[in-house]
Amino acid sequence: MEPAATSSSGSWHRVDLNGDRGLLVVAGEEIAVFRAEGRPFAIANACPHEGNPLVEGDLVGSMLVCAYHGWRFDLETGACLLGERPVRRYPAEERDGAVWVRA
């Protein structure tokens, strides 16, 4: 299984979640942000399969299922569990009740 790329540089951005998810746009790039199992996760919003928005997917624990073709991703590692390519991850953390993403 191929490891997912992780962004390790950039600025921190606060993200307002609507329930268990939110969307952040930085320099034209969309980042899907989730709170799953009490922890924040951030990944590229475009599914590596056909570019569909991952923010619309279904959360199953810390796994995300793409709503369009069923590809499954481990939010912690970005690994693709059902499909062919991993998704890019971004550092995410919770501070004072808010989710912050570095991008």
PDB file of all heavy atoms in Angstrom, residues 36-63:
ATOM      1  N   ALA A  36     -13.695  12.772  13.384  1.00  0.00           N
ATOM      2  CA  ALA A  36     -14.106  11.373  13.445  1.00  0.00           C
ATOM      3  C   ALA A  36     -13.498  10.744  14.689  1.00  0.00           C
ATOM      4  O   ALA A  36     -12.315  10.947  14.976  1.00  0.00           O
ATOM      5  CB  ALA A  36     -13.648  10.626  12.195  1.00  0.00           C
ATOM      6  N   GLU A  37     -14.301  10.009  15.419  1.00  0.00           N
ATOM      7  CA  GLU A  37     -13.856   9.375  16.651  1.00  0.00           C
ATOM      8  C   GLU A  37     -13.204  10.388  17.598  1.00  0.00           C
ATOM      9  O   GLU A  37     -12.203  10.107  18.250  1.00  0.00           O
ATOM     10  CB  GLU A  37     -12.936   8.198  16.351  1.00  0.00           C
ATOM     11  CG  GLU A  37     -13.636   7.115  15.552  1.00  0.00           C
ATOM     12  CD  GLU A  37     -12.821   5.867  15.351  1.00  0.00           C
ATOM     13  OE1 GLU A  37     -11.587   5.932  15.303  1.00  0.00           O
ATOM     14  OE2 GLU A  37     -13.452   4.798  15.241  1.00  0.00           O
ATOM     15  N   GLY A  38     -13.749  11.620  17.599  1.00  0.00           N
ATOM     16  CA  GLY A  38     -13.279  12.663  18.499  1.00  0.00           C
ATOM     17  C   GLY A  38     -11.985  13.343  18.082  1.00  0.00           C
ATOM     18  O   GLY A  38     -11.451  14.146  18.836  1.00  0.00           O
ATOM     19  N   ARG A  39     -11.480  13.045  16.888  1.00  0.00           N
ATOM     20  CA  ARG A  39     -10.212  13.625  16.425  1.00  0.00           C
ATOM     21  C   ARG A  39     -10.395  14.329  15.087  1.00  0.00           C
ATOM     22  O   ARG A  39     -11.200  13.904  14.262  1.00  0.00           O
ATOM     23  CB  ARG A  39      -9.171  12.520  16.270  1.00  0.00           C
ATOM     24  CG  ARG A  39      -8.850  11.874  17.596  1.00  0.00           C
ATOM     25  CD  ARG A  39      -7.900  10.700  17.483  1.00  0.00           C
ATOM     26  NE  ARG A  39      -6.867  10.873  16.492  1.00  0.00           N
ATOM     27  CZ  ARG A  39      -6.380   9.867  15.767  1.00  0.00           C
ATOM     28  NH1 ARG A  39      -6.834   8.643  15.931  1.00  0.00           N
ATOM     29  NH2 ARG A  39      -5.430  10.085  14.892  1.00  0.00           N
ATOM     30  N   PRO A  40      -9.627  15.410  14.828  1.00  0.00           N
ATOM     31  CA  PRO A  40      -9.722  16.106  13.546  1.00  0.00           C
ATOM     32  C   PRO A  40      -8.820  15.463  12.492  1.00  0.00           C
ATOM     33  O   PRO A  40      -7.723  14.993  12.795  1.00  0.00           O
ATOM     34  CB  PRO A  40      -9.240  17.516  13.875  1.00  0.00           C
ATOM     35  CG  PRO A  40      -8.276  17.317  15.000  1.00  0.00           C
ATOM     36  CD  PRO A  40      -8.788  16.137  15.783  1.00  0.00           C
ATOM     37  N   PHE A  41      -9.302  15.459  11.262  1.00  0.00           N
ATOM     38  CA  PHE A  41      -8.549  14.948  10.123  1.00  0.00           C
ATOM     39  C   PHE A  41      -8.760  15.900   8.949  1.00  0.00           C
ATOM     40  O   PHE A  41      -9.840  16.480   8.796  1.00  0.00           O
ATOM     41  CB  PHE A  41      -9.039  13.558   9.705  1.00  0.00           C
ATOM     42  CG  PHE A  41      -8.868  12.516  10.764  1.00  0.00           C
ATOM     43  CD1 PHE A  41      -9.905  12.195  11.615  1.00  0.00           C
ATOM     44  CD2 PHE A  41      -7.660  11.848  10.911  1.00  0.00           C
ATOM     45  CE1 PHE A  41      -9.757  11.227  12.592  1.00  0.00           C
ATOM     46  CE2 PHE A  41      -7.495  10.880  11.885  1.00  0.00           C
ATOM     47  CZ  PHE A  41      -8.548  10.568  12.722  1.00  0.00           C
ATOM     48  N   ALA A  42      -7.744  16.039   8.095  1.00  0.00           N
ATOM     49  CA  ALA A  42      -7.852  16.891   6.911  1.00  0.00           C
ATOM     50  C   ALA A  42      -7.215  16.175   5.727  1.00  0.00           C
ATOM     51  O   ALA A  42      -6.100  15.656   5.829  1.00  0.00           O
ATOM     52  CB  ALA A  42      -7.161  18.231   7.149  1.00  0.00           C
ATOM     53  N   ILE A  43      -7.946  16.147   4.609  1.00  0.00           N
ATOM     54  CA  ILE A  43      -7.467  15.492   3.392  1.00  0.00           C
ATOM     55  C   ILE A  43      -7.849  16.349   2.188  1.00  0.00           C
ATOM     56  O   ILE A  43      -8.736  17.195   2.279  1.00  0.00           O
ATOM     57  CB  ILE A  43      -8.067  14.081   3.222  1.00  0.00           C
ATOM     58  CG1 ILE A  43      -9.601  14.126   3.157  1.00  0.00           C
ATOM     59  CG2 ILE A  43      -7.590  13.142   4.337  1.00  0.00           C
ATOM     60  CD1 ILE A  43     -10.266  12.797   2.833  1.00  0.00           C
ATOM     61  N   ALA A  44      -7.180  16.111   1.068  1.00  0.00           N
ATOM     62  CA  ALA A  44      -7.565  16.785  -0.173  1.00  0.00           C
ATOM     63  C   ALA A  44      -9.028  16.445  -0.457  1.00  0.00           C
ATOM     64  O   ALA A  44      -9.455  15.297  -0.273  1.00  0.00           O
ATOM     65  CB  ALA A  44      -6.672  16.326  -1.316  1.00  0.00           C
ATOM     66  N   ASN A  45      -9.800  17.413  -0.893  1.00  0.00           N
ATOM     67  CA  ASN A  45     -11.220  17.194  -1.120  1.00  0.00           C
ATOM     68  C   ASN A  45     -11.501  16.417  -2.397  1.00  0.00           C
ATOM     69  O   ASN A  45     -12.576  15.872  -2.572  1.00  0.00           O
ATOM     70  CB  ASN A  45     -11.975  18.527  -1.141  1.00  0.00           C
ATOM     71  CG  ASN A  45     -13.476  18.328  -1.114  1.00  0.00           C
ATOM     72  OD1 ASN A  45     -13.989  17.459  -0.424  1.00  0.00           O
ATOM     73  ND2 ASN A  45     -14.190  19.143  -1.867  1.00  0.00           N
ATOM     74  N   ALA A  46     -10.548  16.321  -3.301  1.00  0.00           N
ATOM     75  CA  ALA A  46     -10.757  15.626  -4.569  1.00  0.00           C
ATOM     76  C   ALA A  46     -10.361  14.153  -4.446  1.00  0.00           C
ATOM     77  O   ALA A  46      -9.214  13.831  -4.131  1.00  0.00           O
ATOM     78  CB  ALA A  46      -9.937  16.285  -5.670  1.00  0.00           C
ATOM     79  N   CYS A  47     -11.306  13.261  -4.691  1.00  0.00           N
ATOM     80  CA  CYS A  47     -11.006  11.828  -4.672  1.00  0.00           C
ATOM     81  C   CYS A  47      -9.979  11.530  -5.764  1.00  0.00           C
ATOM     82  O   CYS A  47     -10.117  12.004  -6.901  1.00  0.00           O
ATOM     83  CB  CYS A  47     -12.284  11.021  -4.909  1.00  0.00           C
ATOM     84  SG  CYS A  47     -12.013   9.238  -4.903  1.00  0.00           S
ATOM     85  N   PRO A  48      -8.935  10.750  -5.448  1.00  0.00           N
ATOM     86  CA  PRO A  48      -7.921  10.434  -6.458  1.00  0.00           C
ATOM     87  C   PRO A  48      -8.478   9.630  -7.632  1.00  0.00           C
ATOM     88  O   PRO A  48      -7.839   9.541  -8.671  1.00  0.00           O
ATOM     89  CB  PRO A  48      -6.873   9.622  -5.704  1.00  0.00           C
ATOM     90  CG  PRO A  48      -7.251   9.607  -4.288  1.00  0.00           C
ATOM     91  CD  PRO A  48      -8.604  10.206  -4.142  1.00  0.00           C
ATOM     92  N   HIS A  49      -9.661   9.067  -7.492  1.00  0.00           N
ATOM     93  CA  HIS A  49     -10.257   8.267  -8.561  1.00  0.00           C
ATOM     94  C   HIS A  49     -10.741   9.149  -9.704  1.00  0.00           C
ATOM     95  O   HIS A  49     -10.257   9.038 -10.815  1.00  0.00           O
ATOM     96  CB  HIS A  49     -11.409   7.429  -7.993  1.00  0.00           C
ATOM     97  CG  HIS A  49     -12.134   6.626  -9.006  1.00  0.00           C
ATOM     98  ND1 HIS A  49     -13.505   6.546  -9.036  1.00  0.00           N
ATOM     99  CD2 HIS A  49     -11.696   5.858 -10.023  1.00  0.00           C
ATOM    100  CE1 HIS A  49     -13.880   5.755 -10.027  1.00  0.00           C
ATOM    101  NE2 HIS A  49     -12.800   5.334 -10.649  1.00  0.00           N
ATOM    102  N   GLU A  50     -11.694  10.052  -9.414  1.00  0.00           N
ATOM    103  CA  GLU A  50     -12.238  10.901 -10.479  1.00  0.00           C
ATOM    104  C   GLU A  50     -12.428  12.348 -10.045  1.00  0.00           C
ATOM    105  O   GLU A  50     -13.129  13.105 -10.705  1.00  0.00           O
ATOM    106  CB  GLU A  50     -13.560  10.333 -10.996  1.00  0.00           C
ATOM    107  CG  GLU A  50     -13.366   9.057 -11.792  1.00  0.00           C
ATOM    108  CD  GLU A  50     -14.615   8.625 -12.532  1.00  0.00           C
ATOM    109  OE1 GLU A  50     -15.659   9.303 -12.453  1.00  0.00           O
ATOM    110  OE2 GLU A  50     -14.527   7.595 -13.221  1.00  0.00           O
ATOM    111  N   GLY A  51     -11.848  12.722  -8.902  1.00  0.00           N
ATOM    112  CA  GLY A  51     -11.897  14.112  -8.476  1.00  0.00           C
ATOM    113  C   GLY A  51     -13.169  14.537  -7.775  1.00  0.00           C
ATOM    114  O   GLY A  51     -13.363  15.721  -7.517  1.00  0.00           O
ATOM    115  N   ASN A  52     -14.049  13.603  -7.465  1.00  0.00           N
ATOM    116  CA  ASN A  52     -15.298  13.957  -6.789  1.00  0.00           C
ATOM    117  C   ASN A  52     -15.025  14.458  -5.372  1.00  0.00           C
ATOM    118  O   ASN A  52     -14.028  14.088  -4.760  1.00  0.00           O
ATOM    119  CB  ASN A  52     -16.229  12.746  -6.751  1.00  0.00           C
ATOM    120  CG  ASN A  52     -16.685  12.378  -8.140  1.00  0.00           C
ATOM    121  OD1 ASN A  52     -17.226  13.188  -8.865  1.00  0.00           O
ATOM    122  ND2 ASN A  52     -16.438  11.133  -8.524  1.00  0.00           N
ATOM    123  N   PRO A  53     -15.927  15.290  -4.816  1.00  0.00           N
ATOM    124  CA  PRO A  53     -15.700  15.893  -3.496  1.00  0.00           C
ATOM    125  C   PRO A  53     -15.821  14.877  -2.349  1.00  0.00           C
ATOM    126  O   PRO A  53     -16.898  14.340  -2.087  1.00  0.00           O
ATOM    127  CB  PRO A  53     -16.781  16.966  -3.398  1.00  0.00           C
ATOM    128  CG  PRO A  53     -17.839  16.548  -4.358  1.00  0.00           C
ATOM    129  CD  PRO A  53     -17.162  15.771  -5.436  1.00  0.00           C
ATOM    130  N   LEU A  54     -14.720  14.651  -1.662  1.00  0.00           N
ATOM    131  CA  LEU A  54     -14.701  13.702  -0.556  1.00  0.00           C
ATOM    132  C   LEU A  54     -15.462  14.203   0.655  1.00  0.00           C
ATOM    133  O   LEU A  54     -15.908  13.407   1.477  1.00  0.00           O
ATOM    134  CB  LEU A  54     -13.261  13.349  -0.179  1.00  0.00           C
ATOM    135  CG  LEU A  54     -12.538  12.476  -1.205  1.00  0.00           C
ATOM    136  CD1 LEU A  54     -11.074  12.290  -0.821  1.00  0.00           C
ATOM    137  CD2 LEU A  54     -13.229  11.126  -1.355  1.00  0.00           C
ATOM    138  N   VAL A  55     -15.653  15.520   0.777  1.00  0.00           N
ATOM    139  CA  VAL A  55     -16.389  16.067   1.913  1.00  0.00           C
ATOM    140  C   VAL A  55     -17.825  15.532   1.946  1.00  0.00           C
ATOM    141  O   VAL A  55     -18.459  15.525   2.986  1.00  0.00           O
ATOM    142  CB  VAL A  55     -16.360  17.613   1.911  1.00  0.00           C
ATOM    143  CG1 VAL A  55     -17.257  18.199   0.837  1.00  0.00           C
ATOM    144  CG2 VAL A  55     -16.672  18.163   3.289  1.00  0.00           C
ATOM    145  N   GLU A  56     -18.316  15.012   0.834  1.00  0.00           N
ATOM    146  CA  GLU A  56     -19.667  14.464   0.756  1.00  0.00           C
ATOM    147  C   GLU A  56     -19.719  12.983   1.126  1.00  0.00           C
ATOM    148  O   GLU A  56     -20.786  12.384   1.132  1.00  0.00           O
ATOM    149  CB  GLU A  56     -20.232  14.657  -0.652  1.00  0.00           C
ATOM    150  CG  GLU A  56     -20.403  16.111  -1.029  1.00  0.00           C
ATOM    151  CD  GLU A  56     -20.901  16.302  -2.453  1.00  0.00           C
ATOM    152  OE1 GLU A  56     -21.320  15.314  -3.095  1.00  0.00           O
ATOM    153  OE2 GLU A  56     -20.861  17.444  -2.920  1.00  0.00           O
ATOM    154  N   GLY A  57     -18.559  12.388   1.427  1.00  0.00           N
ATOM    155  CA  GLY A  57     -18.503  10.959   1.719  1.00  0.00           C
ATOM    156  C   GLY A  57     -19.095  10.588   3.065  1.00  0.00           C
ATOM    157  O   GLY A  57     -19.453  11.437   3.876  1.00  0.00           O
ATOM    158  N   ASP A  58     -19.176   9.289   3.286  1.00  0.00           N
ATOM    159  CA  ASP A  58     -19.713   8.746   4.531  1.00  0.00           C
ATOM    160  C   ASP A  58     -18.582   8.376   5.471  1.00  0.00           C
ATOM    161  O   ASP A  58     -17.623   7.705   5.072  1.00  0.00           O
ATOM    162  CB  ASP A  58     -20.555   7.493   4.249  1.00  0.00           C
ATOM    163  CG  ASP A  58     -21.789   7.794   3.416  1.00  0.00           C
ATOM    164  OD1 ASP A  58     -22.452   8.808   3.694  1.00  0.00           O
ATOM    165  OD2 ASP A  58     -22.077   7.016   2.486  1.00  0.00           O
ATOM    166  N   LEU A  59     -18.698   8.793   6.731  1.00  0.00           N
ATOM    167  CA  LEU A  59     -17.728   8.434   7.760  1.00  0.00           C
ATOM    168  C   LEU A  59     -18.157   7.130   8.423  1.00  0.00           C
ATOM    169  O   LEU A  59     -19.305   6.971   8.820  1.00  0.00           O
ATOM    170  CB  LEU A  59     -17.644   9.518   8.831  1.00  0.00           C
ATOM    171  CG  LEU A  59     -16.914  10.791   8.447  1.00  0.00           C
ATOM    172  CD1 LEU A  59     -17.093  11.834   9.531  1.00  0.00           C
ATOM    173  CD2 LEU A  59     -15.448  10.507   8.204  1.00  0.00           C
ATOM    174  N   VAL A  60     -17.201   6.212   8.522  1.00  0.00           N
ATOM    175  CA  VAL A  60     -17.403   4.957   9.242  1.00  0.00           C
ATOM    176  C   VAL A  60     -16.207   4.849  10.183  1.00  0.00           C
ATOM    177  O   VAL A  60     -15.127   4.425   9.788  1.00  0.00           O
ATOM    178  CB  VAL A  60     -17.463   3.747   8.284  1.00  0.00           C
ATOM    179  CG1 VAL A  60     -17.668   2.462   9.072  1.00  0.00           C
ATOM    180  CG2 VAL A  60     -18.544   3.936   7.230  1.00  0.00           C
ATOM    181  N   GLY A  61     -16.390   5.319  11.414  1.00  0.00           N
ATOM    182  CA  GLY A  61     -15.244   5.423  12.324  1.00  0.00           C
ATOM    183  C   GLY A  61     -14.262   6.428  11.757  1.00  0.00           C
ATOM    184  O   GLY A  61     -14.634   7.553  11.425  1.00  0.00           O
ATOM    185  N   SER A  62     -13.003   6.028  11.600  1.00  0.00           N
ATOM    186  CA  SER A  62     -12.009   6.930  10.993  1.00  0.00           C
ATOM    187  C   SER A  62     -11.751   6.570   9.535  1.00  0.00           C
ATOM    188  O   SER A  62     -10.712   6.890   8.983  1.00  0.00           O
ATOM    189  CB  SER A  62     -10.700   6.894  11.794  1.00  0.00           C
ATOM    190  OG  SER A  62     -10.141   5.604  11.751  1.00  0.00           O
ATOM    191  N   MET A  63     -12.727   5.926   8.907  1.00  0.00           N
ATOM    192  CA  MET A  63     -12.649   5.616   7.480  1.00  0.00           C
ATOM    193  C   MET A  63     -13.666   6.478   6.741  1.00  0.00           C
ATOM    194  O   MET A  63     -14.778   6.709   7.242  1.00  0.00           O
ATOM    195  CB  MET A  63     -12.960   4.133   7.234  1.00  0.00           C
ATOM    196  CG  MET A  63     -12.925   3.760   5.760  1.00  0.00           C
ATOM    197  SD  MET A  63     -13.320   2.018   5.466  1.00  0.00           S
ATOM    198  CE  MET A  63     -15.023   1.952   5.996  1.00  0.00           C
TER     199      MET A  63
END
